[in-house]
Protein backbone atom coordinates (compact mmCIF):
# COMPACT_ATOMS: atom_id res chain seq x y z
CA UNK A 1 0.00 0.00 0.00
CA UNK A 2 1.24 3.41 -0.92
CA UNK A 3 -0.42 6.80 -0.74
CA UNK A 4 -2.20 7.72 -3.95
CA UNK A 5 -2.92 10.91 -5.87
CA UNK A 6 -5.74 10.15 -8.30
CA UNK A 7 -7.95 12.08 -10.64
CA UNK A 8 -11.35 11.09 -11.95
CA UNK A 9 -11.04 12.11 -15.61
CA UNK A 10 -14.80 12.22 -16.17
CA UNK A 11 -15.35 14.60 -13.30
CA UNK A 12 -12.38 16.71 -14.38
CA UNK A 13 -13.91 17.07 -17.86
CA UNK A 14 -17.40 17.74 -16.47
CA UNK A 15 -15.99 20.46 -14.25
CA UNK A 16 -14.03 22.06 -17.09
CA UNK A 17 -17.18 22.16 -19.21
CA UNK A 18 -19.12 23.75 -16.39
CA UNK A 19 -16.42 26.32 -15.69
CA UNK A 20 -16.31 27.17 -19.38
CA UNK A 21 -20.01 28.02 -19.34
CA UNK A 22 -19.90 28.45 -23.14
CA UNK A 23 -17.46 31.34 -22.75
CA UNK A 24 -14.05 31.64 -24.38
CA UNK A 25 -11.53 30.47 -21.83
CA UNK A 26 -7.76 30.73 -21.92
CA UNK A 27 -6.78 27.80 -19.72
CA UNK A 28 -3.81 28.51 -17.49
CA UNK A 29 -1.59 25.40 -17.50
CA UNK A 30 1.45 26.73 -15.65
CA UNK A 31 3.39 24.51 -13.25
CA UNK A 32 2.54 21.34 -15.12
CA UNK A 33 -1.13 22.32 -15.15
CA UNK A 34 -1.22 22.97 -11.39
CA UNK A 35 0.51 19.58 -11.15
CA UNK A 36 -2.42 17.72 -12.69
CA UNK A 37 -0.12 16.94 -15.63
CA UNK A 38 0.20 19.06 -18.75
CA UNK A 39 -0.73 16.35 -21.20
CA UNK A 40 -3.81 15.22 -19.28
CA UNK A 41 -5.00 18.78 -18.72
CA UNK A 42 -4.46 20.05 -22.26
CA UNK A 43 -6.20 17.03 -23.79
CA UNK A 44 -9.14 17.32 -21.43
CA UNK A 45 -9.50 21.08 -21.94
CA UNK A 46 -9.45 20.56 -25.73
CA UNK A 47 -12.25 18.05 -25.25
CA UNK A 48 -14.16 20.67 -23.26
CA UNK A 49 -13.85 23.07 -26.19
CA UNK A 50 -11.00 25.19 -24.82
CA UNK A 51 -8.42 26.00 -27.49
CA UNK A 52 -6.39 28.76 -25.89
CA UNK A 53 -3.71 28.11 -23.29
CA UNK A 54 -1.29 30.11 -21.25
CA UNK A 55 1.67 29.34 -19.06
CA UNK A 56 4.65 31.05 -17.50
CA UNK A 57 7.39 28.82 -18.92
CA UNK A 58 8.58 28.60 -22.51
CA UNK A 59 9.40 24.93 -22.07
CA UNK A 60 5.79 24.23 -21.14
CA UNK A 61 4.51 26.42 -23.96
CA UNK A 62 6.49 24.30 -26.43
CA UNK A 63 5.05 21.14 -24.90
CA UNK A 64 1.55 22.55 -25.24
CA UNK A 65 2.29 23.33 -28.90
CA UNK A 66 3.10 19.64 -29.49
CA UNK A 67 -0.10 18.57 -27.75
CA UNK A 68 -2.28 21.18 -29.46
CA UNK A 69 -0.88 22.08 -32.89
CA UNK A 70 -3.70 24.53 -33.67
CA UNK A 71 -4.14 26.14 -30.28
CA UNK A 72 -3.44 29.74 -29.39
CA UNK A 73 -0.67 29.67 -26.79
CA UNK A 74 0.22 32.67 -24.68
CA UNK A 75 3.39 32.96 -22.63
CA UNK A 76 2.81 35.17 -19.58
CA UNK A 77 6.51 35.75 -18.87
CA UNK A 78 8.78 37.53 -21.31
CA UNK A 79 11.72 35.40 -22.42
CA UNK A 80 14.84 35.91 -24.51
CA UNK A 81 14.86 32.77 -26.63
CA UNK A 82 13.10 34.53 -29.49
CA UNK A 83 13.66 31.79 -32.07
CA UNK A 84 11.88 29.17 -29.98
CA UNK A 85 8.98 31.55 -29.41
CA UNK A 86 8.73 32.33 -33.13
CA UNK A 87 9.23 28.78 -34.38
CA UNK A 88 6.50 27.41 -32.13
CA UNK A 89 4.08 30.24 -32.90
CA UNK A 90 3.84 31.23 -29.27
CA UNK A 91 2.34 34.59 -28.38
CA UNK A 92 4.10 36.43 -25.60
CA UNK A 93 3.66 39.28 -23.17
CA UNK A 94 5.34 42.62 -23.78
CA UNK A 95 6.23 43.47 -20.18
CA UNK A 96 7.81 46.93 -20.20
CA UNK A 97 9.06 49.87 -22.25
CA UNK A 98 12.61 48.85 -21.47
CA UNK A 99 12.08 45.36 -22.87
CA UNK A 100 10.41 46.80 -25.97
CA UNK A 101 13.21 49.21 -26.82
CA UNK A 102 15.90 46.66 -26.15
CA UNK A 103 14.41 43.75 -28.07
CA UNK A 104 12.06 45.23 -30.67
CA UNK A 105 14.11 43.93 -33.58
CA UNK A 106 14.50 40.45 -32.07
CA UNK A 107 10.72 40.33 -31.65
CA UNK A 108 10.23 40.35 -35.43
CA UNK A 109 7.11 38.35 -36.41
CA UNK A 110 6.31 37.47 -32.80
CA UNK A 111 2.75 38.13 -31.66
CA UNK A 112 2.84 40.13 -28.46
CA UNK A 113 0.22 41.18 -25.91
CA UNK A 114 0.69 44.55 -24.21
CA UNK A 115 0.61 44.05 -20.45
CA UNK A 116 -0.85 46.63 -18.06
CA UNK A 117 0.80 46.57 -14.64
CA UNK A 118 -2.04 47.57 -12.31
CA UNK A 119 -2.02 46.93 -8.54
CA UNK A 120 -0.09 43.64 -8.57
CA UNK A 121 3.08 45.45 -9.75
CA UNK A 122 4.61 42.21 -11.03
CA UNK A 123 5.05 43.17 -14.66
CA UNK A 124 3.62 45.40 -17.36
CA UNK A 125 3.36 49.00 -18.55
CA UNK A 126 2.80 51.51 -15.79
CA UNK A 127 0.02 53.51 -17.43
CA UNK A 128 -1.80 54.44 -20.61
CA UNK A 129 0.98 56.81 -21.63
CA UNK A 130 3.51 54.00 -21.68
CA UNK A 131 1.15 51.77 -23.67
CA UNK A 132 0.50 54.55 -26.18
CA UNK A 133 4.21 55.25 -26.43
CA UNK A 134 4.78 51.68 -27.61
CA UNK A 135 1.81 51.76 -29.96
CA UNK A 136 3.00 55.03 -31.53
CA UNK A 137 6.64 54.06 -31.66
CA UNK A 138 5.78 50.69 -33.18
CA UNK A 139 3.60 52.31 -35.88
CA UNK A 140 6.36 54.68 -36.90
CA UNK A 141 9.42 52.49 -36.56
CA UNK A 142 10.39 50.24 -39.43
CA UNK A 143 12.71 48.29 -37.15
CA UNK A 144 9.82 47.13 -34.98
CA UNK A 145 8.26 44.20 -36.81
CA UNK A 146 6.55 42.38 -33.99
CA UNK A 147 2.76 42.09 -34.17
CA UNK A 148 0.74 43.68 -31.38
CA UNK A 149 -2.22 41.31 -31.18
CA UNK A 150 -3.26 41.41 -27.54
CA UNK A 151 -3.87 43.49 -24.45
CA UNK A 152 -3.91 42.06 -20.96
CA UNK A 153 -3.56 42.54 -17.24
CA UNK A 154 -3.62 40.41 -14.11
CA UNK A 155 -5.74 41.28 -11.08
CA UNK A 156 -4.13 40.92 -7.67
CA UNK A 157 -7.23 41.34 -5.52
CA UNK A 158 -10.11 39.53 -7.22
CA UNK A 159 -10.40 37.09 -4.32
CA UNK A 160 -10.50 39.85 -1.69
CA UNK A 161 -13.96 41.02 -0.68
CA UNK A 162 -13.51 43.29 2.33
CA UNK A 163 -11.23 45.79 0.63
CA UNK A 164 -11.90 48.09 -2.35
CA UNK A 165 -8.84 47.01 -4.37
CA UNK A 166 -10.60 44.76 -6.86
CA UNK A 167 -12.98 47.55 -7.81
CA UNK A 168 -10.03 49.92 -8.19
CA UNK A 169 -7.90 47.64 -10.37
CA UNK A 170 -10.94 46.60 -12.41
CA UNK A 171 -11.87 50.20 -13.14
CA UNK A 172 -8.31 51.24 -13.98
CA UNK A 173 -8.07 48.34 -16.40
CA UNK A 174 -11.44 48.96 -18.06
CA UNK A 175 -10.38 52.55 -18.56
CA UNK A 176 -7.24 51.38 -20.39
CA UNK A 177 -9.28 49.05 -22.60
CA UNK A 178 -11.99 51.59 -23.37
CA UNK A 179 -9.58 54.41 -24.11
CA UNK A 180 -7.51 52.37 -26.54
CA UNK A 181 -10.55 50.94 -28.34
CA UNK A 182 -12.10 54.42 -28.57
CA UNK A 183 -8.91 55.68 -30.16
CA UNK A 184 -9.27 53.03 -32.83
CA UNK A 185 -6.72 50.47 -31.70
CA UNK A 186 -7.75 46.88 -32.23
CA UNK A 187 -6.67 43.71 -30.46
CA UNK A 188 -7.43 40.12 -31.34
CA UNK A 189 -7.18 39.08 -27.71
CA UNK A 190 -8.12 41.03 -24.59
CA UNK A 191 -7.93 39.14 -21.32
CA UNK A 192 -7.66 39.85 -17.62
CA UNK A 193 -9.86 37.62 -15.50
CA UNK A 194 -8.45 34.90 -13.30
CA UNK A 195 -10.88 32.43 -11.70
CA UNK A 196 -11.93 34.81 -8.92
CA UNK A 197 -12.64 37.69 -11.29
CA UNK A 198 -14.43 35.43 -13.76
CA UNK A 199 -16.77 34.13 -11.03
CA UNK A 200 -17.23 37.58 -9.51
CA UNK A 201 -18.49 38.70 -12.89
CA UNK A 202 -20.98 35.82 -12.91
CA UNK A 203 -18.91 33.52 -15.17
CA UNK A 204 -19.06 36.22 -17.83
CA UNK A 205 -16.33 38.12 -19.65
CA UNK A 206 -15.71 41.78 -18.88
CA UNK A 207 -16.76 44.18 -21.68
CA UNK A 208 -14.77 43.82 -24.93
CA UNK A 209 -12.79 40.91 -23.51
CA UNK A 210 -12.18 37.89 -25.72
CA UNK A 211 -11.14 35.42 -23.00
CA UNK A 212 -11.11 34.78 -19.29
CA UNK A 213 -7.70 33.48 -18.22
CA UNK A 214 -8.76 30.79 -15.79
CA UNK A 215 -6.65 28.43 -13.71
CA UNK A 216 -7.73 27.06 -10.35
CA UNK A 217 -11.46 26.72 -11.11
CA UNK A 218 -10.58 24.39 -13.99
CA UNK A 219 -8.64 22.29 -11.49
CA UNK A 220 -11.58 21.93 -9.17
CA UNK A 221 -11.14 24.50 -6.42
CA UNK A 222 -13.24 27.55 -5.61
CA UNK A 223 -11.32 30.84 -5.74
CA UNK A 224 -13.35 32.29 -2.84
CA UNK A 225 -15.62 30.91 -0.15
CA UNK A 226 -18.85 32.65 -1.14
CA UNK A 227 -19.17 30.31 -4.11
CA UNK A 228 -21.28 27.23 -3.57
CA UNK A 229 -19.37 23.91 -3.63
CA UNK A 230 -21.64 22.67 -6.40
CA UNK A 231 -20.35 25.37 -8.73
CA UNK A 232 -16.92 23.74 -8.95
CA UNK A 233 -16.18 20.04 -8.54
CA UNK A 234 -12.91 18.55 -7.30
CA UNK A 235 -11.84 15.50 -9.32
CA UNK A 236 -8.74 14.88 -7.21
CA UNK A 237 -8.42 12.36 -4.39
CA UNK A 238 -5.34 12.13 -2.17
CA UNK A 239 -5.36 9.21 0.20
CA UNK A 240 -3.30 6.90 2.32
CA UNK A 241 -4.13 3.76 4.27
CA UNK A 242 -4.31 2.67 7.88
CA UNK A 243 -1.26 0.50 8.50
CA UNK A 244 -2.40 -0.49 11.99
CA UNK A 245 -4.45 0.85 14.87
CA UNK A 246 -2.64 1.17 18.22
CA UNK A 247 -4.04 1.74 21.65
CA UNK A 248 -2.40 4.26 23.97
CA UNK A 249 -3.29 5.51 27.43
CA UNK A 250 -3.70 8.83 29.14
CA UNK A 251 -0.36 10.65 29.39
CA UNK A 252 1.36 8.62 26.66
CA UNK A 253 3.29 10.76 24.23
CA UNK A 254 3.05 9.72 20.59
CA UNK A 255 5.18 10.77 17.65
CA UNK A 256 8.54 12.55 17.73
CA UNK A 257 9.27 15.02 20.49
CA UNK A 258 5.98 14.76 22.37
CA UNK A 259 3.99 15.51 19.19
CA UNK A 260 0.73 14.29 20.76
CA UNK A 261 -0.22 13.45 24.32
CA UNK A 262 -3.13 11.05 24.80
CA UNK A 263 -5.77 12.64 27.02
CA UNK A 264 -7.62 9.45 27.94
CA UNK A 265 -7.09 5.72 28.30
CA UNK A 266 -7.81 3.41 25.38
CA UNK A 267 -7.14 6.10 22.81
CA UNK A 268 -7.14 4.51 19.35
CA UNK A 269 -4.45 5.89 17.08
CA UNK A 270 -4.42 4.89 13.45
CA UNK A 271 -0.94 4.88 11.92
CA UNK A 272 -1.36 6.08 8.34
CA UNK A 273 1.12 5.79 5.48
CA UNK A 274 1.16 9.38 4.26
CA UNK A 275 3.06 12.37 5.64
CA UNK A 276 4.73 15.66 4.88
CA UNK A 277 7.18 13.83 2.61
CA UNK A 278 4.22 13.18 0.35
CA UNK A 279 3.25 16.82 0.47
CA UNK A 280 0.73 17.05 3.28
CA UNK A 281 1.23 20.51 4.75
CA UNK A 282 1.81 20.85 8.48
CA UNK A 283 -1.18 23.18 8.78
CA UNK A 284 -3.39 20.71 6.92
CA UNK A 285 -2.49 18.16 9.60
CA UNK A 286 -4.05 20.33 12.31
CA UNK A 287 -7.41 19.35 10.79
CA UNK A 288 -9.08 16.06 9.94
CA UNK A 289 -8.94 13.06 7.63
CA UNK A 290 -11.90 11.14 6.23
CA UNK A 291 -12.10 7.41 7.01
CA UNK A 292 -15.13 5.32 5.99
CA UNK A 293 -17.13 8.51 5.46
CA UNK A 294 -16.38 9.99 8.88
CA UNK A 295 -13.92 12.74 9.84
CA UNK A 296 -11.27 12.02 12.47
CA UNK A 297 -8.65 14.42 13.89
CA UNK A 298 -5.06 14.13 12.72
CA UNK A 299 -2.84 14.11 15.84
CA UNK A 300 0.72 14.08 14.52
CA UNK A 301 2.46 14.44 11.18
CA UNK A 302 5.72 12.74 10.29
CA UNK A 303 7.61 12.42 7.02
CA UNK A 304 5.85 9.33 5.72
CA UNK A 305 3.29 8.72 8.46
CA UNK A 306 0.60 10.43 10.41
CA UNK A 307 -1.41 9.53 13.51
CA UNK A 308 -5.16 9.90 13.31
CA UNK A 309 -7.25 9.48 16.44
CA UNK A 310 -10.01 7.04 15.55
CA UNK A 311 -12.67 4.82 17.14
CA UNK A 312 -13.63 1.14 17.02
CA UNK A 313 -14.95 1.51 13.48
CA UNK A 314 -11.51 2.02 11.95
CA UNK A 315 -9.24 -0.88 11.07
CA UNK A 316 -5.98 -1.70 9.34
CA UNK A 317 -6.14 -1.20 5.55
CA UNK A 318 -8.98 1.30 5.69
CA UNK A 319 -8.53 4.21 3.30
CA UNK A 320 -7.62 7.56 4.80
CA UNK A 321 -8.69 10.42 2.60
CA UNK A 322 -6.88 13.73 2.93
CA UNK A 323 -8.59 15.30 -0.06
CA UNK A 324 -11.57 14.45 -2.21
CA UNK A 325 -14.79 16.17 -3.22
CA UNK A 326 -16.14 15.71 0.35
CA UNK A 327 -13.05 17.06 2.08
CA UNK A 328 -11.85 19.56 -0.42
CA UNK A 329 -8.69 21.54 -0.97
CA UNK A 330 -10.69 24.78 -1.05
CA UNK A 331 -12.21 24.03 2.37
CA UNK A 332 -8.69 24.13 3.83
CA UNK A 333 -7.81 27.19 1.80
CA UNK A 334 -10.61 29.02 3.53
CA UNK A 335 -9.51 27.56 6.89
CA UNK A 336 -6.10 29.18 6.37
CA UNK A 337 -3.98 26.14 5.47
CA UNK A 338 -2.66 27.83 2.31
CA UNK A 339 -3.77 28.84 -1.14
CA UNK A 340 -5.46 26.18 -3.27
CA UNK A 341 -2.47 26.20 -5.59
CA UNK A 342 -0.10 26.00 -2.63
CA UNK A 343 -1.72 22.84 -1.29
CA UNK A 344 -1.71 21.35 -4.79
CA UNK A 345 1.91 22.35 -5.39
CA UNK A 346 3.06 20.79 -2.13
CA UNK A 347 2.11 17.28 -3.31
CA UNK A 348 5.13 15.09 -3.94
CA UNK A 349 4.56 13.41 -7.28
CA UNK A 350 7.69 11.31 -6.88
CA UNK A 351 6.44 9.57 -3.75
CA UNK A 352 2.69 9.48 -4.39
CA UNK A 353 1.33 6.99 -6.91
CA UNK A 354 -0.31 9.02 -9.67
CA UNK A 355 -3.49 7.59 -11.19
CA UNK A 356 -6.01 8.80 -13.74
CA UNK A 357 -9.27 6.90 -13.64
C1 LIG B 1 -1.94 31.81 -12.33
C2 LIG B 1 -2.41 32.90 -13.16
C3 LIG B 1 -3.75 32.95 -13.60
C4 LIG B 1 -4.80 31.96 -13.14
O1 LIG B 1 -5.21 32.30 -11.83
P1 LIG B 1 -6.29 31.38 -11.06
O2 LIG B 1 -6.53 32.12 -9.81
O3 LIG B 1 -5.63 30.07 -10.84
O4 LIG B 1 -7.47 31.29 -11.94
C5 LIG B 1 -4.12 33.96 -14.46
N1 LIG B 1 -3.22 34.89 -14.86
C6 LIG B 1 -1.94 34.89 -14.45
C7 LIG B 1 -1.02 35.95 -14.91
C8 LIG B 1 -1.49 33.91 -13.58
O5 LIG B 1 -0.22 33.92 -13.17
Amino acid sequence: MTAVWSVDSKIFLRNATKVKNNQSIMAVVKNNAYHYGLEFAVRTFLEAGIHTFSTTSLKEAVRVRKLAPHATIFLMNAVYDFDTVRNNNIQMTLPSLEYYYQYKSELKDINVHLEFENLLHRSGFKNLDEIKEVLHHHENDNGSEMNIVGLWTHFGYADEFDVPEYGIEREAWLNVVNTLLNEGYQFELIHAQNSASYYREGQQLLPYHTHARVGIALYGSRPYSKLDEHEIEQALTVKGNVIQVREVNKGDYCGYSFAFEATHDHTHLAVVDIGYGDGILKKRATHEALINGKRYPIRALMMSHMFVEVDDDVHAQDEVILYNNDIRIDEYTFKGVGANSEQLSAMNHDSLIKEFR
Side-chain angles (χ1 to χ4, degrees):
M1 289 188 295
T2 305
V4 176
W5 178 105
S6 77
V7 170
D8 186 319
S9 319
K10 272 208 197 93
I11 293 177
F12 191 88
L13 172 60
R14 187 167 73 199
N15 181 62
T17 307
K18 203 162 151 182
V19 170
K20 184 172 185 295
N21 191 33
N22 290 318
Q23 304 285 341
S24 292
I25 299 292
M26 178 187 282
V28 178
V29 294
K30 66 190 179 195
N31 293 88
N32 200 27
Y34 291 50
H35 305 287
Y36 276 76
L38 201 57
E39 180 167 351
F40 166 74
V42 169
R43 289 198 198 292
T44 311
F45 294 154
L46 286 170
E47 215 178 316
I50 295 170
H51 301 281
T52 308
F53 299 94
S54 75
T55 179
T56 46
S57 107
L58 178 57
K59 209 170 142 197
E60 282 185 342
V62 171
R63 282 177 61 205
V64 175
R65 172 55 72 222
K66 298 211 163 74
L67 293 164
H70 307 293
T72 301
I73 301 171
F74 175 62
L75 184 56
M76 299 188 281
N77 282 342
V79 295
Y80 305 88
D81 184 354
F82 301 99
D83 286 336
T84 305
V85 173
R86 202 169 10 246
N87 296 340
N88 288 280
N89 188 19
I90 289 161
Q91 309 193 358
M92 187 172 75
T93 187
L94 194 70
S96 66
L97 277 180
E98 201 181 6
Y99 182 92
Y100 169 71
Y101 286 120
Q102 190 164 357
Y103 299 108
K104 59 188 170 55
S105 44
E106 279 96 330
L107 287 165
K108 181 174 165 31
D109 295 332
I110 292 177
N111 294 329
V112 301
H113 299 204
L114 305 179
E115 178 175 0
F116 175 56
E117 173 177 315
N118 225 331
L119 298 189
L120 183 65
H121 300 297
R122 192 162 70 185
S123 180
F125 297 99
K126 297 269 175 207
N127 49 45
L128 258 173
D129 287 344
E130 286 198 1
I131 294 178
K132 284 187 195 170
E133 182 177 329
V134 171
L135 287 162
H136 292 157
H137 190 275
H138 174 66
E139 270 170 4
N140 301 314
D141 180 39
N142 292 333
S144 174
E145 295 176 80
M146 63 185 191
N147 308 308
I148 298 177
V149 300
L151 183 65
W152 77 294
T153 195
H154 186 37
F155 295 131
Y157 294 89
D159 57 355
E160 296 282 347
F161 283 81
D162 302 327
V163 292
E165 269 70 13
Y166 176 61
I168 295 167
E169 61 186 352
R170 181 184 184 279
E171 196 180 312
W173 164 244
L174 290 178
N175 179 50
V176 167
V177 174
N178 288 331
T179 306
L180 294 174
L181 295 183
N182 282 337
E183 292 184 13
Y185 293 107
Q186 290 180 347
F187 303 93
E188 288 166 36
L189 287 99
I190 301 178
H191 50 102
Q193 295 161 274
N194 59 1
S195 298
S197 167
Y198 177 58
Y199 276 86
R200 274 180 97 148
E201 307 294 338
Q203 273 182 287
Q204 304 289 322
L205 303 185
L206 286 167
Y208 306 113
H209 284 53
T210 61
H211 293 81
R213 204 176 53 251
V214 174
I216 196 64
L218 288 170
Y219 301 100
S221 296
R222 290 168 294 160
Y224 54 82
S225 61
K226 285 183 201 178
L227 278 174
D228 192 90
E229 280 201 0
H230 298 288
E231 300 273 340
I232 295 171
E233 238 181 318
Q234 181 180 311
L236 175 68
T237 296
V238 177
K239 64 187 179 189
N241 312 274
V242 176
I243 302 171
Q244 54 174 314
V245 179
R246 306 191 63 86
E247 203 177 294
V248 294
N249 291 316
K250 185 172 158 67
D252 285 348
Y253 288 103
C254 314
Y256 296 108
S257 307
F258 315 108
F260 169 64
E261 182 184 357
T263 55
H264 51 95
D265 288 342
H266 309 295
T267 297
H268 287 62
L269 277 188
V271 183
V272 180
D273 63 356
I274 186 168
Y276 62 75
D278 303 296
I280 304 304
L281 295 173
K282 194 171 185 166
K283 268 197 179 167
R284 172 66 187 82
T286 62
H287 297 276
E288 298 164 317
L290 189 66
I291 308 175
N292 304 324
K294 188 172 160 188
R295 290 186 180 212
Y296 295 95
I298 301 170
R299 293 304 190 194
L301 181 70
M302 291 151 273
M303 186 172 183
S304 45
H305 297 101
M306 60 173 64
F307 284 139
V308 180
E309 187 173 343
V310 296
D311 53 24
D312 292 340
D313 299 334
V314 173
H315 305 283
Q317 301 192 53
D318 284 349
E319 283 187 351
V320 180
I321 295 170
L322 275 304
Y323 294 114
N324 72 7
N325 198 44
D326 297 320
I327 186 160
R328 293 167 50 142
I329 290 168
D330 53 23
E331 174 185 336
Y332 294 102
T333 301
F334 309 139
K335 286 180 173 167
V337 167
N340 290 312
S341 54
E342 191 180 339
Q343 292 177 74
L344 280 172
S345 297
M347 298 295 162
N348 183 350
H349 292 278
D350 288 324
S351 70
L352 294 163
I353 292 178
K354 204 165 181 171
E355 284 176 356
F356 293 92
R357 283 176 290 128

Coordinates of all heavy atoms in Angstrom, one line a residue, residues 108-136:
K108 N 10.8 40.4 -34.1 CA 10.2 40.4 -35.4 C 9.3 39.1 -35.6 O 9.7 38.0 -35.3 CB 11.4 40.3 -36.4 CG 11.0 40.2 -37.9 CD 12.2 40.3 -38.8 CE 12.1 39.9 -40.2 NZ 10.8 40.1 -40.9
D109 N 8.1 39.4 -36.1 CA 7.1 38.4 -36.4 C 6.5 37.7 -35.2 O 5.7 36.7 -35.3 CB 7.7 37.3 -37.3 CG 8.0 37.8 -38.7 OD1 7.4 38.8 -39.1 OD2 8.9 37.3 -39.4
I110 N 6.9 38.1 -34.0 CA 6.3 37.5 -32.8 C 5.1 38.3 -32.4 O 5.0 39.5 -32.5 CB 7.3 37.4 -31.6 CG1 8.5 36.5 -32.0 CG2 6.7 37.1 -30.3 CD1 9.6 36.4 -31.0
N111 N 4.0 37.5 -32.1 CA 2.7 38.1 -31.7 C 2.8 38.5 -30.2 O 3.0 37.6 -29.4 CB 1.6 37.2 -31.9 CG 1.3 36.9 -33.4 OD1 1.6 37.8 -34.2 ND2 0.9 35.7 -33.7
V112 N 2.7 39.7 -29.9 CA 2.8 40.1 -28.5 C 1.5 40.7 -27.9 O 0.7 41.2 -28.7 CB 4.0 41.2 -28.2 CG1 5.3 40.6 -28.7 CG2 3.7 42.5 -28.9
H113 N 1.4 40.6 -26.6 CA 0.2 41.2 -25.9 C 0.8 42.3 -25.0 O 1.6 42.0 -24.1 CB -0.5 40.1 -25.1 CG -1.1 39.0 -25.9 ND1 -2.2 38.3 -25.4 CD2 -0.8 38.5 -27.1 CE1 -2.5 37.3 -26.3 NE2 -1.7 37.4 -27.3
L114 N 0.3 43.5 -25.1 CA 0.7 44.6 -24.2 C 0.1 44.3 -22.8 O -1.1 44.0 -22.7 CB 0.2 45.9 -24.7 CG 0.5 46.3 -26.2 CD1 -0.1 47.6 -26.5 CD2 2.0 46.3 -26.4
E115 N 1.0 44.4 -21.8 CA 0.6 44.1 -20.5 C 0.5 45.3 -19.6 O 1.4 46.2 -19.6 CB 1.7 43.1 -19.8 CG 1.4 42.7 -18.4 CD 2.4 41.7 -17.8 OE1 3.3 41.3 -18.6 OE2 2.2 41.3 -16.7
F116 N -0.6 45.5 -18.9 CA -0.8 46.6 -18.1 C -0.5 46.2 -16.6 O -1.1 45.2 -16.1 CB -2.3 47.1 -18.2 CG -2.7 48.2 -17.3 CD1 -1.9 49.4 -17.2 CD2 -3.8 48.1 -16.4 CE1 -2.3 50.5 -16.4 CE2 -4.1 49.1 -15.5 CZ -3.4 50.3 -15.5
E117 N 0.3 47.0 -16.0 CA 0.8 46.6 -14.6 C -0.3 46.5 -13.6 O -0.4 45.4 -12.9 CB 1.9 47.5 -14.2 CG 2.4 47.3 -12.8 CD 3.5 48.2 -12.4 OE1 4.5 48.4 -13.2 OE2 3.5 48.8 -11.3
N118 N -1.0 47.5 -13.3 CA -2.0 47.6 -12.3 C -1.5 47.3 -10.9 O -0.3 47.4 -10.6 CB -3.2 46.6 -12.7 CG -4.6 47.2 -12.5 OD1 -4.7 48.1 -11.7 ND2 -5.5 46.8 -13.3
L119 N -2.4 46.9 -10.0 CA -2.0 46.9 -8.5 C -1.1 45.8 -8.1 O -0.5 45.9 -7.1 CB -3.3 46.9 -7.7 CG -4.3 48.0 -7.8 CD1 -5.3 47.9 -6.7 CD2 -3.6 49.4 -7.6
L120 N -1.0 44.8 -8.9 CA -0.1 43.6 -8.6 C 1.4 44.0 -8.7 O 2.2 43.5 -7.9 CB -0.4 42.4 -9.5 CG 0.3 41.1 -9.2 CD1 -0.1 40.5 -7.9 CD2 0.0 40.1 -10.3
H121 N 1.7 44.9 -9.6 CA 3.1 45.4 -9.7 C 4.1 44.3 -10.0 O 5.2 44.4 -9.6 CB 3.5 46.2 -8.5 CG 2.6 47.4 -8.2 ND1 2.5 48.5 -9.1 CD2 1.8 47.7 -7.2 CE1 1.7 49.4 -8.6 NE2 1.2 48.9 -7.5
R122 N 3.7 43.3 -10.7 CA 4.6 42.2 -11.0 C 5.3 42.4 -12.4 O 6.4 42.0 -12.6 CB 3.9 40.9 -11.0 CG 4.8 39.7 -11.0 CD 4.1 38.4 -10.5 NE 3.1 37.9 -11.5 CZ 2.3 36.9 -11.3 NH1 2.3 36.2 -10.1 NH2 1.4 36.5 -12.2
S123 N 4.6 43.0 -13.3 CA 5.1 43.2 -14.7 C 4.1 44.1 -15.4 O 3.0 44.3 -15.0 CB 5.1 41.8 -15.3 OG 5.6 41.9 -16.6
G124 N 4.5 44.7 -16.5 CA 3.6 45.4 -17.4 C 3.9 46.9 -17.5 O 4.8 47.4 -16.7
F125 N 3.2 47.6 -18.4 CA 3.4 49.0 -18.6 C 2.7 49.7 -17.4 O 1.6 49.3 -17.0 CB 2.8 49.4 -19.9 CG 3.5 48.8 -21.1 CD1 3.0 47.7 -21.7 CD2 4.7 49.4 -21.5 CE1 3.7 47.1 -22.8 CE2 5.4 48.8 -22.5 CZ 4.9 47.7 -23.2
K126 N 3.3 50.8 -17.0 CA 2.8 51.5 -15.8 C 1.5 52.2 -16.0 O 0.7 52.3 -15.1 CB 3.8 52.6 -15.4 CG 5.2 52.0 -15.0 CD 5.2 51.8 -13.5 CE 6.5 51.1 -13.1 NZ 6.4 50.3 -11.9
N127 N 1.2 52.7 -17.2 CA 0.0 53.5 -17.4 C -0.3 53.6 -18.9 O 0.5 53.1 -19.8 CB 0.2 54.9 -16.8 CG 1.6 55.5 -17.3 OD1 1.9 55.4 -18.5 ND2 2.3 56.1 -16.3
L128 N -1.4 54.3 -19.2 CA -1.8 54.4 -20.6 C -0.7 55.1 -21.5 O -0.5 54.8 -22.6 CB -3.1 55.3 -20.7 CG -4.4 54.5 -20.9 CD1 -5.6 55.5 -20.7 CD2 -4.4 53.9 -22.2
D129 N 0.0 56.1 -20.9 CA 1.0 56.8 -21.6 C 2.1 55.9 -22.1 O 2.5 56.0 -23.3 CB 1.6 57.9 -20.8 CG 0.7 59.1 -20.6 OD1 -0.3 59.2 -21.3 OD2 0.9 59.9 -19.6
E130 N 2.5 55.0 -21.3 CA 3.5 54.0 -21.7 C 3.0 53.1 -22.8 O 3.7 52.8 -23.7 CB 4.0 53.2 -20.5 CG 4.9 53.9 -19.5 CD 5.7 53.0 -18.6 OE1 5.6 51.8 -18.7 OE2 6.4 53.5 -17.8
I131 N 1.7 52.7 -22.6 CA 1.2 51.8 -23.7 C 1.1 52.5 -25.0 O 1.4 52.0 -26.1 CB -0.2 51.3 -23.2 CG1 -0.1 50.3 -22.0 CG2 -1.0 50.5 -24.4 CD1 -1.4 49.8 -21.4
K132 N 0.6 53.8 -24.9 CA 0.5 54.5 -26.2 C 1.9 54.8 -26.8 O 2.0 54.9 -28.0 CB -0.2 55.9 -25.9 CG -1.7 55.7 -25.7 CD -2.4 57.0 -25.6 CE -3.8 56.8 -25.1 NZ -4.4 58.1 -24.8
E133 N 2.9 55.0 -25.9 CA 4.2 55.2 -26.4 C 4.7 54.1 -27.3 O 5.2 54.2 -28.4 CB 5.2 55.5 -25.3 CG 6.6 55.8 -25.7 CD 7.6 56.0 -24.6 OE1 7.1 56.6 -23.5 OE2 8.8 55.7 -24.7
V134 N 4.4 52.9 -26.8 CA 4.8 51.7 -27.6 C 4.0 51.6 -28.9 O 4.5 51.4 -30.0 CB 4.5 50.4 -26.8 CG1 4.7 49.2 -27.7 CG2 5.5 50.3 -25.7
L135 N 2.7 51.8 -28.8 CA 1.8 51.8 -30.0 C 2.3 52.8 -31.0 O 2.4 52.4 -32.2 CB 0.3 52.0 -29.6 CG -0.3 50.8 -28.8 CD1 -1.6 51.3 -28.1 CD2 -0.6 49.7 -29.8
H136 N 2.6 54.0 -30.6 CA 3.0 55.0 -31.5 C 4.4 54.7 -32.1 O 4.6 54.8 -33.3 CB 3.0 56.4 -30.8 CG 1.7 56.9 -30.5 ND1 1.5 57.8 -29.5 CD2 0.5 56.6 -31.0 CE1 0.2 58.0 -29.4 NE2 -0.5 57.3 -30.2

